[in-house]
């Protein structure tokens, strides 16, 4: 149980294009989802917190106009990287919190999306 | 803010025991998580401690001392597949009601034959 999927798993795009990444909770409802970015050999850095039906809360230094987050349902959140540049190349990981399972704070992670911007 | 410190890398042989320490400084504390992450993959949940003491789950155990701001993850009977990065993460509900996790940099465990 508590499975989170992400799509696509890997994407290569040209500089200046936009890329959408989907995060789905498959067997539970996730009122809150989190988006992280991870550069090689570094830890996860939280980008934003996404709550169903409301605007996302972004961490300091993360541009909300560049990283658009939509959490339209209890099982789906999307992250759109707009006008991507090579420095946006990274591993993007989402997580979801299932308030009905065990600790209310346990986050379950998706498999991640490897973005490469040429 | 929160400071979370853990060693960068540890090496141990197959069948041995390894203990990964994590120290944290935070203005508020509501729990500590350990996650395992293999290269190129997302983290997987290992354990959650909110009260002092030892939580045992198979070959993995996690300990917490809130007064000392200290936790450790104990990996017993090491297997080659345990080679991975182990992330310590703290949750602080005083600073944030959403329950955001603050991650340490991770400890790379290398298991040798």
């Amino acid at each position: 149980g508590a499975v989170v999927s992400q799509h696509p798993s890997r994407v290569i795009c040209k500089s200046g294009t936009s890329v959408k990444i989907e995060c789905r909770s498959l067997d539970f409802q996730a009122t809150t989802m989190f988006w992280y970015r991870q550069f090689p050999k570094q830890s996860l850095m939280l980008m934003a917190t996404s709550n169903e039906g409301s605007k996302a809360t972004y961490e300091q230094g993360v541009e909300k106009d560049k990283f658009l987050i939509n959490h339209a349902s209890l099982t789906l959140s999307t992250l759109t990287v707009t006008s991507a540049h090579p420095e946006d190349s990274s591993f993007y990981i989402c997580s979801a919190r299932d308030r009905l399972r065990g600790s209310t704070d346990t986050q379950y992670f998706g498999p991640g999306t490897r973005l490469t911007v040429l | 803010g929160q400071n979370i410190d853990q060693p960068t890398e540890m090496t141990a042989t197959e069948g041995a025991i390894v203990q990964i320490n994590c120290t944290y400084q935070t203005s508020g504390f509501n729990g500590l998580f350990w996650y395992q992450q293999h290269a190129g993959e997302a983290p997987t949940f290992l354990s959650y401690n909110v009260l002092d003491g030892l939580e045992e789950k198979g070959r993995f155990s996690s300990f917490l001392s809130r007064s000392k701001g200290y936790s450790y993850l104990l990996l017993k009977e090491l297997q080659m597949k345990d080679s991975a990065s182990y992330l310590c993460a703290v949750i602080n509900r005083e600073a944030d009601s959403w329950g955001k996790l603050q991650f340490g940099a991770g400890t790379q465990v290398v298991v040798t034959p």
Side-chain angles (χ1 to χ4, degrees):
Chain A
V3 178
V4 177
S5 71
Q6 267 185 255
H7 177 80
S9 59
R10 198 176 284 269
V11 59
I12 301 173
C13 68
K14 292 182 179 179
S15 186
T17 60
S18 294
V19 174
K20 180 187 281 189
I21 303 170
E22 293 186 348
C23 177
R24 293 181 186 272
S25 56
L26 298 186
D27 55 356
F28 66 98
Q29 294 183 331
T31 52
T32 305
M33 288 182 170
F34 302 86
W35 286 96
Y36 296 84
R37 182 167 50 182
Q38 187 176 33
F39 292 104
K41 296 189 184 294
Q42 295 186 22
S43 191
L44 281 74
M45 296 300 297
L46 180 65
M47 300 174 66
T49 303
S50 168
N51 289 286
E52 187 264 339
S54 64
K55 290 184 178 180
T57 305
Y58 290 81
E59 294 300 299
Q60 194 171 9
V62 178
E63 300 174 57
K64 61 178 68 175
D65 293 331
K66 180 169 182 61
F67 299 99
L68 301 179
I69 291 173
N70 184 284
H71 194 156
S73 77
L74 285 172
T75 59
L76 173 65
S77 176
T78 61
L79 167 69
T80 301
V81 183
T82 61
S83 188
H85 290 286
E87 57 265 30
D88 298 323
S89 298
S90 186
F91 192 46
Y92 291 85
I93 309 173
C94 73
S95 71
R97 193 166 64 197
D98 179 2
R99 290 194 171 273
L100 298 180
R101 284 178 198 271
S103 159
T104 58
D105 293 320
T106 301
Q107 293 181 26
Y108 298 93
F109 287 83
T113 297
R114 175 76 58 193
L115 171 64
T116 303
V117 185
L118 303 176
Chain B
Q2 298 174 142
N3 294 318
I4 301 172
D5 294 312
Q6 50 181 130
T8 304
E9 184 170 313
M10 302 182 75
T11 301
T13 54
E14 205 172 2
I17 299 174
V18 69
Q19 178 175 313
I20 306 169
N21 297 322
C22 173
T23 58
Y24 62 90
Q25 295 174 316
T26 179
S27 55
F29 177 83
N30 282 94
L32 186 144
F33 291 83
W34 284 97
Y35 284 88
Q36 179 192 60
Q37 186 179 27
H38 285 99
E41 299 180 12
T44 54
F45 170 76
L46 291 178
S47 67
Y48 171 63
N49 293 69
V50 64
L51 300 175
D52 286 356
L54 186 68
E55 296 274 346
E56 295 186 81
K57 193 183 295 185
R59 294 189 297 115
F60 294 178
S61 303
S62 56
F63 171 83
L64 176 67
S65 168
R66 293 176 64 138
S67 61
K68 296 181 180 177
Y70 168 69
S71 172
Y72 68 72
L73 179 69
L74 195 68
L75 285 62
K76 294 181 280 189
E77 300 171 19
L78 279 173
Q79 301 176 8
M80 297 300 290
K81 67 178 182 179
D82 296 330
S83 292
S85 181
Y86 291 84
L87 307 173
C88 171
V90 171
I91 194 162
N92 178 356
R93 280 202 169 276
E94 284 188 16
D96 165 63
S97 62
W98 299 125
K100 294 186 293 189
L101 288 176
Q102 180 78 34
F103 281 88
T107 298
Q108 185 67 44
V109 170
V110 178
V111 181
T112 59

